[in-house]
Amino acid sequence: MASKVIQALYNDDDVLMHAVKKVRAEHHHIEEVYTPFPVHGLDKAMGLADTRIAITSFLYGCLGLTVAIVMMNYIMIEDWPQDIGGKPSFSYLENMPAFVPIMFELTVFFAAHLMVITFYLRSRMWPFKKAENPDKRTTDDHFLMEIGLNDNENELADLLWETGAVEVKVTEKES
Amino acid sequence: MYTFSNKLRLGSFIAMGLGFIFLVIGFMSAPSTVEEAKAMVAVHDDGHGGGHAEAATEAHGDQGHGEQASHGGEHDASHDEHLLHQLQNRPWSALYVAAFFFFMISLGVLAFYAIQRAAQAGWSPLLFRVMEGITAYLVPGGIIVFVILLLSVLHMNHMFVWMDSEVVAHDELLQGKAGYLNPTFFLIRAAIFLGGWIFYRQYSRKLSLAQDESDDNTNFVKNFRWSAGFLVFYLVTESMMSWDWIMSVDPHWFSTLFGWYVFASMFVSGITVIAMVTVYLKSKGYLEDVNDSHVHDLAKFMFGISIFWTYLWFAQFMLIWYANIPEEVTYYVARFQDYKLPFFGMLALNFVFPLLVLMNSDYKRINWFVIMTGIVVLFGHYLDIFNMIMPATVGDQWFIGLPEIGGILFFGGLFVYWVFTALTKAPLQPKRNPFIEESRHFHY
């Protein structure tokens, strides 16, 4: 089903921030805001929920640490406890200092890479993905706010002009 | 202006008084003859034996006799002499560890302060007066440490064996190091280090106060230049100080990253104390413009430098453990055998605890979380200094008893009294630092 949206373009991030606050105060639902660079505080103004990606990263780190410990315990202690240069391979704890560099690196490796992959999946980014860009200018120097329409076109357009938009247009959107 | 609350002042006096009494008891109960030392250890052993089954005690006693009989009389005498020195060292070491610990806190804060000035940090100028208050302890603390070192040179104790000319006469390694480790040069170096640090602290404080009253920024610029210069001086002298005052209690042992390791310990303790004093003053309503974000930044520093400390601790430990060269590894063998709990306990307090507690961004903003972690971190770093000094001076005769607690109480009380008195001397918010507006609106 195709639905109608109204798009307002701004050319200043300060003006955009005020517009977002005003539109939210009027209880209109902002579907999306497109900006060429991160606008500090925009997520708070839009009322977006905090990201949980740090928590996933912590869990991935724990997984990496576990993998490192289980792997080295099996290889170095259980499977073939060879005497290599007099290092005590009797138990994991006795030889642990030698394993710490790998434990550390695998923790960081898992935490970093799996978090990045999580980010790609959650934000739907991959090679050959079709760009979802309503207006080319938003990658350079314009900011675009998009609001869903339910038969209140004129009222919304007036509001958006009032907030300092440089351009307001109504388009069909595939959803 | 801050007014020193009567409760806190009374508390600091009580701590000083109690600590002083404990220290005096510690010094009085140290043995003065070999017989007394042997008797003390015997009583201690009996106390332990009471807890075990009687048969075990007897068996243990028999074993002891057998061992004694097998040794030559001469060896026995030198062992007793050694034991006497260890027991005599205990109150001295307790005094020294506590004196150095509180001194190093204010020195760590001074380094942090100089970095903030040299880096022209925008968030911290609101906290400069708090830092200046804490570094005020550098003067009495530094003098006390110097006096303890002077008394060691005058042979009032046996903490630094290389100061004993008789020991050096029979020890070629110490003779080889005598060019650096000799009492006169040692004291001259200590005087230069302390003189430089105290000079920078006093001069920077003067410029900081003058900046409030002036109508241009020349004092600020001067302070920036002196801070940058101080950091160069500090890095060299701090490293040498750690060889002189700490590493030389084990004069046969050496480690190249020791200076950094001691630095990390003092830096994290210093930052922790800044955070704790800030939270305290804010809770009393004195630092209105300090917000959650400042506390969050300090807690981030506590977290990061705790991990930096662990990194250095592990780098030093693992290199020595891995290569296992006998002349280096004795240092850790002594700690593994006789200091298991403080040695590994400090790792839990200084690494695992802050790692888990301060990782969450929200927790770093909760004041009581910061205070609680601060207490744990400070205790952990006291143990760190304890583990550096004690194994070399008292060996397996260590215990955290009256003299150790007395040292902490006495110097803790003095520290609190001196720092909070210094805080009353100037307004807690600098008036016209060029970055003060940025600092007031700091938000993370």
Side-chain angles (χ1 to χ4, degrees), chain B residues 136 161 295 318:
Chain B
V161 283
V295 176
M318 202 221 2

Side-chain angles (χ1 to χ4, degrees), chain A residues 58 87-88 94-98 100-101, chain B residues 314 317-318 321-324 356 359 443:
Chain A
F58 177 76
K87 284 282 158 273
E94 272 178 292
N95 210 0
M96 199 194 71
V100 167
Chain B
F314 185 71
F317 166 69
M318 202 221 2
W321 173 86
Y322 214 117
N324 207 15
L356 294 178
M359 196 184 305
H443 171 77

Side-chain angles (χ1 to χ4, degrees), chain B residues 41-61:
Chain B
V41 176
V43 169
H44 189 68
D45 280 351
D46 276 357
H48 267 295
H52 297 297
E54 287 221 353
T57 317
E58 269 173 38
H60 183 74

Side-chain angles (χ1 to χ4, degrees), chain B residues 308-323:
Chain B
F308 177 64
W309 173 88
T310 317
Y311 170 73
L312 292 176
W313 176 86
F314 185 71
Q316 177 170 287
F317 166 69
M318 202 221 2
L319 286 186
I320 290 173
W321 173 86
Y322 214 117

Side-chain angles (χ1 to χ4, degrees), chain A residues 106-163:
Chain A
L106 276 182
T107 307
V108 174
F109 180 87
F110 273 63
H113 288 84
L114 292 183
M115 177 178 77
V116 167
I117 293 169
T118 308
F119 170 73
Y120 285 156
L121 291 178
R122 286 294 290 158
S123 40
R124 314 183 144 272
M125 294 206 309
W126 51 81
F128 312 113
K129 148 125 182 163
K130 194 170 171 293
E132 299 164 7
N133 196 351
D135 193 310
K136 273 185 193 161
R137 287 171 292 174
T138 60
T139 61
D140 183 18
D141 62 348
H142 277 62
F143 304 81
L144 189 147
M145 175 161 50
E146 191 171 86
I147 304 165
L149 276 181
N150 339 289
D151 299 332
N152 51 356
E153 203 176 311
N154 291 334
E155 179 207 338
L156 250 179
D158 289 346
L159 177 69
L160 289 172
W161 282 117
E162 215 176 285
T163 59

Side-chain angles (χ1 to χ4, degrees), chain B residues 331-368:
Chain B
Y331 183 82
Y332 285 107
V333 170
R335 281 155 183 78
F336 265 58
Q337 278 173 354
D338 301 325
Y339 286 77
K340 250 199 187 94
L341 182 65
F343 193 66
F344 291 106
M346 110 185 146
L347 207 58
L349 298 177
N350 290 342
F351 173 59
V352 180
F353 189 80
L355 176 82
L356 294 178
V357 171
L358 290 181
M359 196 184 305
N360 190 319
S361 182
D362 294 333
Y363 292 174
K364 292 195 212 72
R365 291 167 189 276
I366 302 173
N367 287 344
W368 66 266

